[in-house]
Amino acid sequence: MYVVLSRSSRGIVALRLADDASEIAPAETVSEADLPAWVARLERERPRWVWDDTTRWYPQLLAAGVRVERCVDLRLSHALLRGSTLTATSTLALSPVGHWDRATPLADKPETHGALFDLDDDPAETAPTDPLAEFLLQRDATATAAEPGRIGLLLAAESAGALIACEMKSAGLPWHADVHERLLADLLGDRPRGLERPAKLEELLDRMRAILGTHDVNPDSPAELLKALRRTGLQVASTRSWELKEIDHPVIAPLLEYKKLSRLQTANGWNWLDTWIADGRFRPDYVPGGAATGRWGASGGGALQLPKQIRGAVIADPGWKLVVADAAQLEPRILTALSADRAMAEAGRGDLYEGIVASGAVKTRAEAKVAMLGAMYGATAGDGGRLMPALTRAFPRAIAVVEAAARVGERGDIVTTRLGRSSPLPGEAWRELQESASVQGASDALQRAARGQSRGWGRFTRNFIVQGTAAEWALCWMAGLRGRLWDLRGGRFTDRPHLVFFLHDEVIVHTPPELADEVVAQLEAAASDAGRLIFGEMPVRFPITTAVVDNYSQAK
């Protein structure tokens, strides 16, 4: 059963639909105040809730202690169906750009959107945002897709991710502000006043000035720092850390340390602590599908970039544990499964990189890692480029998949992940340059620029299919894990083991200690399920490394 929800001037309008989308009950109206209790009662029938945007419905339910099992997030689903090659001929994909294509729908019309069958409202206001009409369009697009099963699984996983993102924000990541303060003090010195630099940064700056013999050094300004280094005789093209590491000069060590600590202060220093930590929790706004590949983003707070220096402040509640898990060598294993490369699957029966060494393709584990990164990201020079021929000979099917994706991108065309997320087309400027370079008489410089641009987009599509499919695997992993954790104990979802953090291929579960071993087992089982769900019985392992700890810094 589906339950389509919409807000109108009279309250919440709900329509129940059978699985075939036929109406099974008259539309009913529920007040905002009664919505959580009404949803909790109907949840016993295991419906799939259909709403415009999970972030507009689920937080209020969670605040009232109501957890739902399944939903259809129309906004996220619309974006997938609009862009996928699997649904390119659907009515939805061919329709004009409109309300559902907005990144954040309904922000300016909180009271009038989606008034399902609300005939007292202005049809011109409600029709474009009617969730029932959009839901039916989406069902038709899915049913008529080239491979309905693939895109249907992706839609379900994306919507499950939206529920998980809201639940993680509601639960929050346990965070001890006092420990964070001590970590900052140890690394940077006492909290500075106003715009003062922390003591450690001032000390490093004094060292740099003494070495360079000048007070005219401002490491916080790349342009001024570059001038100061060049005046000293250092031939530097930029102040990027990777370039500075190649220079042999006494000023480089304190400069690199300054840059590292300055980033910490800016990204996760005292201002971050005051802004983002409240009531012992970090509650970021996750953005499912925030990147083109389907990887998540975060709206403020830097949830996807928590540096190791402060992870010691992530401490389980008294009487609880953190189970930190990550998928080992995820993207190379995804490539193995995408390509059905049996030789690479055999190499991945244990440590994949050691298996590549054992195959004779390369000599060391470090070379195996560099070679695989080169294959997935398009290395043509350096160690990655040097190792590619041997890797291609050992695993031709795997390399053929990414090479084919690169050629598609170089032509300016679209590639699609295992479940159906498609890459965006390059922009108008890209196409204009390609067309200009193809004209008879185009200069050598223009042609070189076009070739470089073409190869760059090829590197994007090469990686898109791997990274995008890895994002799909992670969604399926978390969705399966979410259900498994729910079954381990009764009570509200925060009384049970529950997800509190996610970073691409890593999750943290907050759990009572007596259930920690069972959580580890469920993490591993959910990973195996995700692999079978997406790739069938292809013999590719997706091993999970886990650690049961009191604080995040103990995990690695």
Side-chain angles (χ1 to χ4, degrees):
M1 175 178 68
Y2 294 94
V3 181
V4 184
L5 297 182
S6 176
R7 285 189 170 90
S8 78
S9 58
R10 296 196 298 266
I12 310 299
V13 181
L15 181 69
R16 303 187 200 191
L17 303 177
D19 289 344
D20 64 359
S22 60
E23 187 177 345
I24 60 175
E28 54 188 304
T29 302
V30 183
S31 70
E32 289 277 359
D34 293 338
L35 181 65
W38 182 83
V39 168
R41 287 194 300 271
L42 198 56
E43 182 66 18
R44 298 171 191 148
E45 301 180 35
R46 301 190 66 231
R48 196 181 294 273
W49 301 94
V50 180
W51 46 43
D52 56 357
D53 186 336
T54 302
T55 62
R56 293 184 174 275
W57 294 87
Y58 200 27
Q60 72 184 92
L61 299 178
L62 289 170
V66 178
R67 180 251 196 197
V68 304
E69 182 181 357
R70 305 182 298 177
C71 81
V72 175
D73 187 302
L74 294 173
R75 176 179 61 89
L76 292 174
S77 297
H78 182 93
L80 290 170
L81 294 167
R82 167 73 84 179
S84 178
T85 56
L86 301 184
T87 53
T89 61
S90 66
T91 301
L92 184 151
L94 297 175
S95 63
V97 173
H99 162 81
W100 292 101
D101 296 288
R102 292 167 58 183
T104 306
L106 315 172
D108 57 345
K109 292 187 180 180
E111 298 302 324
T112 62
H113 68 81
L116 189 65
F117 301 130
D118 190 357
L119 301 181
D120 292 341
D121 289 335
D122 181 357
E125 289 291 319
T126 62
T129 64
D130 183 356
L132 176 59
E134 173 64 21
F135 176 56
L136 295 177
L137 267 180
Q138 292 190 10
R139 281 180 62 88
D140 177 71
T142 304
T144 58
E147 296 186 57
R150 285 172 60 187
I151 194 70
L153 177 55
L154 178 56
L155 297 178
E158 191 89 334
S159 292
L163 294 174
I164 292 167
C166 288
E167 289 172 359
M168 289 196 298
K169 180 177 180 180
S170 177
L173 182 64
W175 202 286
H176 282 232
D178 57 335
V179 174
H180 191 146
E181 288 267 13
R182 289 200 299 272
L183 292 171
L184 291 176
D186 291 343
L187 291 165
L188 296 169
D190 293 337
R191 182 189 283 240
R193 292 178 295 180
L195 299 178
E196 294 178 352
R197 287 188 178 92
K200 180 64 175 178
L201 292 185
E202 281 291 350
E203 176 189 324
L204 290 167
L205 180 55
D206 288 341
R207 285 175 57 192
M208 286 186 280
R209 286 169 172 166
I211 292 169
L212 295 176
T214 177
H215 281 73
D216 189 17
V217 180
N218 180 8
D220 299 318
S221 168
E224 293 183 26
L225 175 61
L226 199 60
K227 291 179 182 178
L229 294 175
R230 286 173 175 172
R231 282 198 300 269
T232 311
L234 296 177
Q235 300 302 311
V236 289
S238 77
T239 60
R240 296 185 180 94
S241 295
W242 65 267
E243 183 172 343
L244 294 175
K245 289 177 182 178
E246 301 297 319
I247 299 172
D248 182 17
H249 190 279
V251 78
I252 298 302
L255 174 55
L256 290 174
E257 180 69 7
Y258 183 99
K259 287 168 70 70
K260 181 177 73 173
L261 294 180
S262 179
R263 281 196 301 271
L264 174 64
Q265 182 202 9
T266 301
N268 299 98
W270 293 276
N271 183 62
W272 182 92
L273 184 59
D274 295 340
T275 303
W276 287 98
I277 305 303
D279 303 322
R281 289 291 191 273
F282 174 39
R283 304 178 192 274
D285 288 307
Y286 292 99
V287 184
T293 58
R295 276 191 165 192
W296 285 21
S299 179
L304 306 183
Q305 298 175 344
L306 295 181
K308 292 182 178 179
Q309 299 109 306
I310 60 168
R311 291 181 181 181
V314 181
I315 302 174
D317 289 344
W320 287 66
K321 291 283 187 179
L322 300 176
V323 181
V324 181
D326 69 271
Q329 304 157 346
L330 178 58
E331 289 191 1
R333 293 176 185 277
I334 290 292
L335 176 56
T336 304
L338 277 173
S339 61
D341 191 312
R342 298 276 172 173
M344 188 169 281
E346 180 63 27
R349 292 175 71 87
D351 181 290
L352 175 61
Y353 298 133
E354 293 290 355
I356 292 175
V357 173
S359 76
V362 297
K363 295 180 179 179
T364 67
R365 188 180 187 280
E367 283 189 341
K369 188 172 184 178
V370 169
M372 282 303 301
L373 288 173
M376 293 184 295
Y377 287 87
T380 56
D383 288 341
R386 175 178 61 83
L387 295 167
M388 275 296 293
L391 194 70
T392 302
R393 287 192 296 271
F395 309 107
R397 295 191 65 170
I399 304 307
V401 166
V402 286
E403 289 293 334
R407 302 293 87 77
V408 171
E410 288 170 4
R411 296 195 303 267
D413 289 335
I414 292 172
V415 295
T416 298
T417 61
R418 175 73 173 193
L419 294 186
R421 189 187 303 269
S422 294
S423 63
L425 287 167
E428 189 62 31
W430 189 95
R431 296 198 176 278
E432 288 177 357
L433 177 57
Q434 297 299 313
E435 291 172 3
S436 298
S438 66
V439 174
Q440 186 175 7
S443 68
D444 291 344
L446 190 62
Q447 292 180 32
R448 283 195 300 271
R451 285 195 297 270
Q453 184 191 61
S454 176
R455 287 194 294 268
W457 199 258
R459 285 191 293 272
F460 167 68
T461 53
R462 170 193 295 269
N463 183 245
F464 184 95
I465 58 167
V466 178
Q467 191 178 105
T469 304
E472 293 166 354
W473 181 93
L475 279 175
C476 291
W477 180 36
M478 285 200 298
L481 176 64
R482 175 178 180 258
R484 288 172 172 273
L485 295 179
W486 181 255
D487 292 337
L488 293 183
R489 171 180 279 192
R492 294 165 64 115
F493 90 93
T494 49
D495 296 328
R496 313 173 189 227
H498 56 278
L499 283 157
V500 290
F501 185 69
F502 168 56
L503 175 60
H504 304 322
D505 57 4
E506 180 177 328
V507 299
I508 299 179
V509 176
H510 199 212
T511 182
E514 66 272 16
L515 293 176
D517 289 344
E518 184 61 25
V519 168
V520 170
Q522 298 305 329
L523 279 158
E524 293 171 347
S528 296
D529 287 349
R532 283 191 296 271
L533 193 61
I534 298 176
F535 300 109
E537 295 303 321
M538 175 67 193
V540 178
R541 294 182 62 245
F542 292 95
I544 303 298
T545 61
T546 57
V548 181
V549 296
D550 293 311
N551 76 70
Y552 191 11
S553 67
Q554 297 169 344
K556 294 181 179 179

